Amino acid sequence: MKVRVAHLYPDYLNIYADRGNIAVLERRARLRGHTLDVTGVGPGDGLPDGGVDLFYVGGGQDREQALVAPDLAARGEAIRAAVAAGAALLAVCGGYQLLGRGYRGRDGSWLAGAALFPLETVAGETRMIGDVLIECSFAPGAPQTVAGFENHAGRTLLDPGAEPLGRVVAGFGNDGRSGYEGCRVGTAIGTYLHGPLLPRNPWLADWLLARALENAGAAAALEPLPDELERAAHAVAAQRARARGGKA
Amino acid sequence: MGARLALERSAARLVGRLSRAAGCGGGTTLPGKLLWKVDPTAIDALAARLPLGSALVSATNGKTTTSAMAAGILGRRRRLAWNNSGANLASGVASTLLEAKGAELGLFEVDEFALPEVMRRTAPRAVALANLFRDQLDRYGELEHVAERWRAAVAALPRSTTLVVNADDPLVAELADGRPAALRFGVDDARVARAALQHAADSKYCVRCGTPYDYAAAYVGHLGDYRCPRCGHARPVLDVVARAIELQGLDATVFDLVTPAGTGRVRLPLPGLYNVYNALAAASLCLALDASLDDVVAGLEGFSAAFGRFERIDGGGRGILMLLIKNPAGANEAVRTLVEGGVPPALVVALNDAIADGRDVSWIWDVDFEPLLERAQRIVAAGDRAAELALRFTYAGFPPGRLEVVPGLEAALDRGLALVPPGGELGVLPTYTAMLQLRAIAAERGLVKPYWEGAA
């Protein structure tokens, strides 16, 4: 089965190894007999014809984020509709912030976002930097962990009742206070965790792939892969988070 | 000399000797750290004693090599106070000033974050600013943030200080705008340009209006001949230029060095276009300090690489070729150097995540390792984050059967050497602390001198 992927702003939002996440999705799809058809979408470009099964939005430096923000905000309705109809989405760091309602700068400025995630982000005085470990409960009774690295000045505040991606075990997370990290709306996930995210958290990569396959009309079941290196990398990253976590 | 300063100096020197005697490395920053703690203004006083003043070099990539090249040029005529150990924070500069008896001229490579403070304290005659690439975002923050600090520091420099800038880097070139004393260097040879901007190219949007630049030629990362199609902001006119460049494999790079003082043909005994940029920065800085073109050419031709950046070590019947990798732009150049000069059949790639390496290892995914992976036979992934490296190579399609994961550096080095036939060469690509550890292992085996005895 062909999985159609729209990679938004690959020339602008690519700072924390975002192409690593794409490479992981590509290979894990291929090993199960599927192919990823990745289209880079720049400011002003149309979305790929025939629909999108998975959106990817990476992180960027402030300057690049500001350059693409108006374009992304203008796509808000299309992205919300696609996700409501079952398309998967992964947004990391800057992409995560810009898929909320908006970003309040330290000077009071307001950068409107795509309003997919029920949250707002406010610039903070200090950056929250370091290794993070979170625990997610996608399936009841079967918690799974995600290990990554965060580096953000924004404090992301979820609306009451919004579903986070996970609970912080070590590190800062959304705002350094709530104890939560990321946000999940149906088949869409936003998170601050890079490193990149998917190589050392393969269960999450497979979860996204399965949702994208369902959207493409295929069975979502994916054969397990050995993932020995993935587990080794996860173990070291998780140990780092437990040992040193974030440093403000 | 004030009595207090004299006392501080002798106490700090003693600490340096104790630190070396105790076997904890070169003792290169400990005395400076002490002095820095006791009296930060001591740097000002010590620097002010240098009869010919000071010169500074900063950049994301190449500052150690550039300052070593400048030392090779200036050291022909002058006694230098030079932080050749790579101790490039304010404390390292303090240590060098303490140790340099009878020096005439200060030459300091300076960490990009420490630059404003060191600039303020040393009142330099000339400052070379060579490039800004994304590097250790967990430590330095975003590129624009470093550039802002540099802008403020440059604005506070006396008008008489000569600013040497890389005209091919938009963010750096802009710093010299409107300064009366400036030298702008760059490359002008479309034959050695890259086909396209690399994945990790950074400053590719106009510094004035945000439009993507058009590149007539892109050389290293985002360095090149750029012009904004919207507002016209473009690379400034070059004062010091490299033309007619011949890349001669791993052995040398030959180019015309065109300067206001005339033109010389230089045979630089180092590979890679990035070393041409380092040579241009060093040449421009030395010309700003009144070195002759003859000294510049002779100094560059007599250069031997700064430790661990590009180093060939005799590994007992097998060679070791070590190239430091520390961020996407620098690692891309190490890859390009090996691809153009010949990829050794076996490679050890070592990734550590100490503070000096950057705790965030995500940058390895932004390096274009692919050309290396297409050519390497065997790879040993090493260092504290060896598994992450192995994932990077595996997801790029490198066959798992030819990849080994050996986190311990000594074991990884031995395994790598065992994969090389006698008389062959092992390629070693370490991050900064992995490079220091591998060099220490080589020093223990008597293969190299410890770094603080290396260059001088």
Side-chain angles (χ1 to χ4, degrees):
Chain A
M1 175 62 74
K2 185 178 279 186
V3 178
R4 298 156 300 179
V5 176
H7 184 178
L8 300 187
Y9 320 114
D11 288 339
Y12 292 80
L13 304 181
N14 59 18
I15 195 150
Y16 292 118
D18 291 304
R19 71 173 168 178
N21 288 328
I22 300 284
V24 168
L25 291 169
E26 256 172 352
R27 185 173 168 83
R28 298 184 75 84
R30 197 166 59 243
L31 289 172
R32 276 77 164 250
H34 304 292
T35 52
L36 235 58
D37 184 7
V38 182
T39 308
V41 178
D45 294 348
L47 289 173
D49 290 339
V52 174
D53 302 313
L54 193 155
F55 290 88
Y56 183 79
V57 195
Q61 308 198 41
D62 286 349
R63 185 154 182 269
E64 279 79 21
Q65 266 176 243
L67 287 173
V68 300
D71 189 89
L72 184 57
R75 294 180 196 276
E77 204 179 325
I79 293 173
R80 290 194 302 271
V83 168
L89 178 144
L90 176 61
V92 176
C93 204
Y96 169 44
Q97 294 173 342
L98 291 177
L99 282 167
R101 277 193 301 276
Y103 188 93
R104 178 81 58 200
R106 282 175 67 187
D107 55 1
S109 59
W110 175 251
L111 200 58
L116 168 70
F117 295 120
L119 56 86
E120 286 183 15
T121 302
V122 182
E125 292 287 313
T126 54
R127 293 192 79 85
M128 301 197 278
I129 302 173
D131 295 279
V132 203
L133 184 66
I134 66 172
E135 192 175 86
C136 309
S137 323
F138 278 38
Q144 281 168 300
T145 52
V146 174
F149 198 95
E150 62 185 325
N151 184 349
H152 52 106
R155 271 65 172 163
T156 293
L157 309 168
L158 303 189
D159 288 356
E163 189 183 351
L165 171 62
R167 184 182 62 80
V168 175
V169 178
F172 293 102
N174 279 335
D175 56 2
R177 301 157 61 110
S178 66
Y180 291 113
E181 206 290 318
C183 188
R184 184 178 156 203
V185 172
T187 48
I189 287 173
T191 177
Y192 275 115
L193 270 57
H194 63 263
L197 177 69
L198 298 182
R200 63 172 90 114
N201 300 292
W203 72 267
L204 189 59
D206 284 352
W207 186 86
L208 286 162
L209 261 185
R211 302 292 81 75
L213 280 166
E214 276 171 356
N215 192 64
L222 293 168
E223 300 159 38
L225 299 173
D227 290 339
E228 286 157 25
L229 278 175
E230 285 82 350
R231 275 196 296 275
H234 181 285
V236 177
Q239 183 271 332
R240 289 289 191 270
R242 288 200 166 96
R244 62 194 190 188
K247 54 184 172 77
Chain B
M1 170 180 320
R4 177 169 176 197
L5 184 58
L7 193 66
E8 288 165 0
R9 283 175 70 166
S10 51
R13 279 208 194 100
L14 181 66
V15 172
R17 279 197 290 274
L18 284 173
S19 145
R20 260 194 299 269
C24 41
T28 46
T29 59
L30 208 50
K33 273 184 186 148
L34 182 76
L35 182 63
W36 181 243
K37 224 169 200 164
V38 175
D39 180 9
T41 65
I43 292 188
D44 313 35
L46 290 170
R49 284 168 203 280
L50 292 166
L52 297 175
S54 297
L56 309 182
V57 176
S58 196
T60 308
N61 286 335
K63 51 191 173 287
T64 301
T65 299
T66 298
S67 51
M69 287 174 173
I73 297 164
L74 299 167
R76 305 170 76 78
R77 312 259 175 227
R78 306 291 183 201
R79 289 189 302 279
L80 301 177
W82 167 40
N83 54 342
N84 63 330
S85 60
N88 61 15
L89 302 176
S91 53
V93 173
S95 281
T96 304
L97 284 165
L98 275 172
E99 293 286 335
K101 294 178 207 95
E104 299 166 291
L105 176 66
L107 173 64
F108 305 110
E109 77 157 90
V110 187
D111 171 85
E112 33 302 24
F113 220 69
L115 183 68
E117 171 108 52
V118 175
M119 263 183 172
R120 204 164 50 242
R121 297 206 174 277
T122 56
R125 275 170 67 198
V127 179
L129 303 175
N131 55 62
L132 281 174
F133 293 104
R134 68 171 76 167
D135 181 26
Q136 298 183 25
L137 294 151
D138 57 317
R139 183 162 149 234
Y140 293 108
E142 298 184 355
L143 205 55
E144 183 58 34
H145 180 54
V146 179
E148 250 166 52
R149 286 172 57 94
W150 279 18
R151 257 177 236 132
V154 164
L157 276 178
R159 307 283 286 169
S160 57
T161 301
T162 303
L163 202 64
V164 173
V165 294
N166 186 343
D168 291 0
D169 188 335
L171 214 49
V172 173
E174 205 201 10
L175 296 168
D177 286 358
R179 287 199 67 91
L183 274 179
R184 297 167 176 86
F185 66 85
V187 169
D188 186 20
D189 187 344
R191 293 170 314 145
V192 294
R194 296 243 188 203
L197 279 182
Q198 286 164 302
H199 173 75
D202 289 304
S203 307
K204 53 192 174 186
Y205 305 103
C206 177
V207 295
R208 303 234 171 105
C209 75
T211 307
Y213 283 118
D214 285 343
Y215 275 82
Y219 297 110
V220 171
H222 61 268
L223 308 184
D225 185 0
Y226 51 86
R227 169 174 288 279
C228 173
R230 183 153 156 233
C231 77
H233 179 254
R235 176 170 81 162
V237 175
L238 304 176
D239 302 306
V240 178
V241 194
R243 292 205 174 109
I245 298 168
E246 282 174 49
L247 299 164
Q248 299 182 345
L250 290 175
D251 299 320
T253 311
V254 182
F255 59 96
D256 281 351
L257 176 65
V258 183
T259 80
T263 296
R265 184 100 184 134
V266 177
R267 184 183 185 282
L268 185 70
L270 282 179
L273 198 52
Y274 63 106
N275 277 315
V276 174
Y277 274 108
N278 291 334
L280 284 170
S284 307
L285 182 70
C286 295
L287 291 168
L289 296 166
D290 307 319
S292 70
L293 182 62
D294 286 347
D295 277 359
V296 169
V297 173
L300 291 175
E301 296 202 329
F303 184 76
S304 60
F307 71 90
R309 268 69 185 174
F310 174 82
E311 193 170 26
R312 288 191 129 134
I313 299 167
D314 178 0
R318 292 167 176 83
I320 299 170
L321 172 64
M322 184 136 61
L323 287 108
L324 175 70
I325 56 169
K326 56 175 198 171
N327 52 38
N332 280 341
E333 291 314 303
V335 168
R336 187 186 190 185
T337 298
L338 287 179
V339 167
E340 286 171 359
V343 176
L347 296 169
V348 173
V349 187
L351 175 66
N352 277 356
D353 65 347
I355 287 177
D357 303 291
R359 290 180 158 181
D360 179 358
V361 296
S362 63
W363 63 273
I364 60 169
W365 292 84
D366 291 332
V367 178
D368 293 325
F369 279 114
E370 281 70 6
L372 202 59
L373 303 179
E374 285 161 20
R375 292 165 176 83
Q377 297 301 311
R378 303 288 291 259
I379 297 182
V380 179
D384 297 335
R385 302 301 290 269
E388 301 274 347
L389 262 182
L391 280 178
R392 168 72 182 89
F393 299 151
T394 302
Y395 277 104
F398 193 75
R402 285 158 44 197
L403 178 67
E404 296 173 43
V405 184
V406 185
L409 291 176
E410 184 148 26
L413 182 65
D414 285 335
R415 180 63 191 140
L417 285 169
L419 292 169
V420 175
E425 194 163 49
L426 172 70
V428 179
L429 299 161
T431 59
Y432 187 73
T433 67
M435 181 271 283
L436 292 182
Q437 289 163 23
L438 284 163
R439 265 195 120 264
I441 292 164
E444 253 171 49
R445 297 181 181 181
L447 305 174
V448 291
K449 283 194 273 183
Y451 70 87
W452 60 92
E453 293 170 10

